[in-house]
Amino acid sequence: MLEKIFNLVKALFYGFVTVLWHLFKRPVTEEYPEEKPVLNEYFRGRPFLNSCAGCGYCKRVCPADAIRIIKNERIVEKYIIDLKKCIFCGNCMFYCPSKSMHMSNDFALATNSKSGLQIDIINRR
Amino acid sequence: MNFLLCKFLEFIKTINFSEHIALVLFSILPFALILGFLILTVIGLVLFERKILGYFTQRKGPNRVGFWGILQTTADAVKLLCKENIEISSGDNFLFTLSPIIAFAAIIILWCIIPYNAEFNMINSSVGILIYLIVSSFPMLFHFLAGYSSNNKYSIIGSYRALALTASYSVPIIFTILSIICITNTMNLNNIILFQTKKWIIFSNILGFVIFYISSIAKLNRCPFDLSEAESELVCGYHTEYSGMRFAMFFLGEYAELFVMCILISILFLGGYLPPFNVYLANIFMGNCSLCRYLIYFEQTFWLIFKTLLIIFSIIWIRATLPRFTQKTTLDFFWKYLTPLTIINLIIITFMRI
């Protein structure tokens, strides 16, 4: 009986001390819009493209079937990626023969309409 | 209160105001002061609890509205005031409206019984603690009526649980208060405080303090004994059907009762407005000047609120640590362990007095 009470008090004590210890730890909350989070160097966000040759490798390796390439004869007219479907796996970047596909740090992708998520990412400088 | 009355009348004479109206004003002003202080305290207390609970769980709590989230509860209060009052289609509408009003009004009376310092004590009755016990049972009764008149299964289950809990925590609270009356030979709250000038009651009645503390957590309807409004089982307990201002009344009442109950604990066990070691800071820093006489009253209030806030912090700490007990565990705990322990404590105290 006494041992039971002792164990109970011990468990209670440990519980209370653990909770109190958390009071002095740094909060894990991130104040998002004011303070931008520090991202990993290999973070895969919104994809972007420089000088596409239109070989179609990326389209074939895409597991989510999110890429649509519209060609006019041999010139790439539109390179549309559907961010609804995209799982940001990075396959397109990895398999691109000319290494022109990149993924940026931009993760704020929300838009007001579905069509806003289907974007033409080719960079025409 | 006499000292304050003399000062007030002197002030009235200097501005050539009618003395009769001044006397009437003197009895109204403290109540208005208390009501304003009550609402400010509740708003501050809700923010305090949310902040502390946040930091206990490694969050930041409210931090958007105003600097450091200070205006969050004010915004919540304004939102509640502006909300639509939803009437229930079936059920007792009269009782439904009456319950939150009386539950809140009773708590305002509790606030007026408390001596905040040696002078500011509005209802200085010789049976102050008895009045406290009787009036503090009102909110629980009207919580039951609120659930009963709501015509909702969750409300009525919450109300029955509240009633069962009321019966179980009342005995320990009353018996502990009896032991304190045994020690101090008085029922006046002011005299109970003055009795503790040399030694606080907690040192001679530590078991009583623990029992009273646990029972008051149950009385305040807080974790781990918040059976009557167990969110995971009963939606919101007795105030499931309430919205807008009527819900705000219950909410306000809950936190006002928390504050006043913690004040009572500090009065009964921790010496109320007396400073620790019976040395006033004003006397140390200012010496025996004329201003010191007034500063001491403010310091007394400071000590009372300081002790109260410590107790409130510990109650929030318990809420952050312990999970909710089941109904059977709670009733077992109160009837099988706490009540016999209280009676043993009372017997020991009585024999010590003889």
Side-chain angles (χ1 to χ4, degrees):
Chain A
M1 179 72 181
L2 270 177
E3 199 188 337
K4 206 176 165 186
I5 294 173
F6 178 73
N7 282 339
L8 185 82
V9 172
K10 201 173 137 189
L12 269 179
F13 178 75
Y14 272 121
F16 279 110
V17 169
T18 312
V19 172
L20 190 67
W21 180 238
H22 277 77
L23 198 63
F24 305 107
K25 283 185 179 173
R26 211 170 138 264
V28 291
T29 315
E30 282 173 356
E31 300 199 20
Y32 167 58
E34 290 92 22
E35 294 169 18
K36 292 276 191 284
V38 182
L39 294 172
N40 192 328
E41 176 184 359
Y42 302 112
F43 183 84
R44 300 194 295 265
R46 183 196 296 272
F48 67 94
L49 193 59
N50 294 327
S51 64
C52 179
C55 65
Y57 246 62
C58 44
K59 186 173 157 56
R60 262 180 279 160
V61 295
C62 182
D65 192 18
I67 297 168
R68 196 149 54 91
I69 303 170
I70 298 169
K71 277 187 186 174
N72 188 2
E73 291 176 1
R74 295 194 67 178
I75 302 161
V76 179
E77 220 169 51
K78 275 184 179 174
Y79 186 102
I80 293 172
I81 187 155
D82 191 348
L83 294 177
K84 286 209 303 292
K85 289 182 181 172
C86 182
I87 58 170
F88 303 95
C89 62
N91 264 2
C92 45
M93 182 175 69
F94 191 75
Y95 284 102
C96 183
S98 57
K99 299 289 173 208
S100 50
M101 187 76 160
H102 298 284
M103 295 189 106
S104 65
N105 269 352
D106 182 17
F107 57 86
L109 306 171
T111 54
N112 289 329
S113 60
K114 277 184 183 175
S115 56
L117 286 169
Q118 296 177 353
I119 48 170
D120 182 13
I121 62 166
I122 197 156
N123 188 3
R124 295 187 188 80
R125 269 181 297 179
Chain B
M1 231 42 189
N2 291 334
F3 176 70
L4 279 181
L5 182 61
C6 292
K7 286 285 161 195
F8 186 69
L9 288 179
E10 273 177 27
F11 171 72
I12 288 297
K13 270 177 194 165
T14 55
I15 58 168
N16 291 329
F17 200 67
S18 162
E19 201 169 295
H20 297 289
I21 297 175
L23 281 172
V24 174
L25 262 182
F26 187 73
S27 22
I28 293 170
L29 269 178
F31 288 93
L33 201 70
I34 283 291
L35 198 63
F37 186 61
L38 186 149
I39 288 167
L40 281 181
T41 311
V42 169
I43 284 175
L45 214 56
V46 176
L47 184 73
F48 178 68
E49 171 157 21
R50 287 182 65 181
K51 271 283 177 195
I52 295 282
L53 263 185
Y55 278 100
F56 268 135
T57 46
Q58 276 187 282
R59 294 178 289 113
K60 280 186 176 172
N63 62 348
R64 292 281 141 168
V65 190
F67 172 70
W68 206 59
I70 284 177
L71 297 176
Q72 178 67 53
T73 36
T74 319
D76 286 346
V78 171
K79 182 206 78 176
L80 276 177
L81 282 172
C82 301
K83 262 190 154 182
E84 185 194 355
N85 248 336
I86 299 170
E87 297 268 324
I88 43 170
S89 56
S90 56
D92 197 332
N93 249 321
F94 176 68
L95 271 182
F96 187 76
T97 316
L98 188 75
S99 316
I101 295 169
I102 296 192
F104 184 56
I107 290 161
I108 299 176
I109 299 173
L110 292 184
W111 274 63
C112 298
I113 296 168
I114 299 294
Y116 293 95
N117 55 38
E119 278 298 326
F120 196 79
N121 186 4
M122 276 170 285
I123 306 174
N124 193 3
S125 165
S126 56
V127 285
I129 202 156
L130 214 57
I131 297 175
Y132 188 97
L133 274 179
I134 293 163
V135 178
S136 69
S137 65
F138 266 62
M140 222 44 194
L141 178 68
F142 282 89
H143 288 174
F144 170 73
L145 283 180
Y148 172 74
S149 60
S150 292
N151 193 22
N152 179 322
K153 61 187 170 202
Y154 299 119
S155 302
I156 197 74
I157 292 172
S159 304
Y160 285 140
R161 283 184 177 194
L163 270 195
L165 197 63
T166 311
S168 52
Y169 70 64
S170 291
V171 181
I173 282 189
I174 291 168
F175 274 56
T176 315
I177 286 180
L178 211 58
S179 74
I180 288 165
I181 294 169
C182 256
I183 294 172
T184 57
N185 278 335
T186 174
M187 283 198 218
N188 185 332
L189 287 172
N190 230 331
N191 289 348
I192 288 177
I193 294 171
L194 293 178
F195 182 85
Q196 303 175 62
T197 321
K198 282 178 186 160
K199 197 174 82 175
W200 293 354
I201 290 178
I202 186 171
F203 298 120
S204 51
N205 194 4
I206 180 81
L207 192 63
F209 173 73
V210 174
I211 291 165
F212 195 86
Y213 183 76
I214 294 172
S215 313
S216 57
I217 291 174
K219 190 178 175 64
L220 296 169
N221 236 336
R222 290 184 68 85
C223 229
F225 303 116
D226 54 346
L227 297 173
S228 59
E229 44 175 298
E231 291 95 349
S232 47
E233 305 154 34
L234 300 177
V235 189
C236 234
Y238 55 83
H239 56 67
T240 304
E241 292 288 334
Y242 282 85
S243 67
M245 199 52 219
R246 289 180 228 175
F247 169 74
M249 287 268 198
F250 276 130
F251 197 69
L252 221 67
E254 203 172 290
Y255 278 87
E257 201 185 357
L258 167 71
F259 194 75
V260 79
M261 195 72 196
C262 290
I263 286 186
L264 188 74
I265 294 176
S266 62
I267 284 174
L268 292 183
F269 294 97
L270 302 174
Y273 52 69
L274 296 173
F277 309 115
N278 216 11
V279 183
Y280 287 101
L281 290 177
N283 275 338
I284 295 173
F285 292 117
M286 310 275 289
N288 277 324
C289 57
S290 55
L291 187 69
C292 213
R293 267 183 77 191
Y294 302 102
L295 271 181
I296 278 178
Y297 294 127
F298 287 103
E299 199 191 324
Q300 283 177 339
T301 314
F302 163 74
W303 282 118
L304 183 70
I305 289 172
F306 178 72
K307 288 167 188 172
T308 309
L309 283 181
L310 276 185
I311 297 167
I312 290 174
F313 175 78
S314 69
I315 287 178
I316 296 171
W317 186 9
I318 285 173
R319 185 184 161 184
T321 311
L322 297 178
R324 183 181 301 118
F325 290 162
T326 58
Q327 193 177 13
K328 186 179 176 299
T329 326
T330 312
L331 295 186
D332 268 5
F333 177 72
F334 275 105
W335 285 115
K336 286 185 185 168
Y337 303 105
L338 222 57
T339 309
L341 213 62
T342 325
I343 295 168
I344 292 168
N345 181 45
L346 181 63
I347 292 169
I348 292 171
I349 296 285
T350 320
F351 272 103
M352 276 166 68
R353 286 296 292 170
I354 293 169

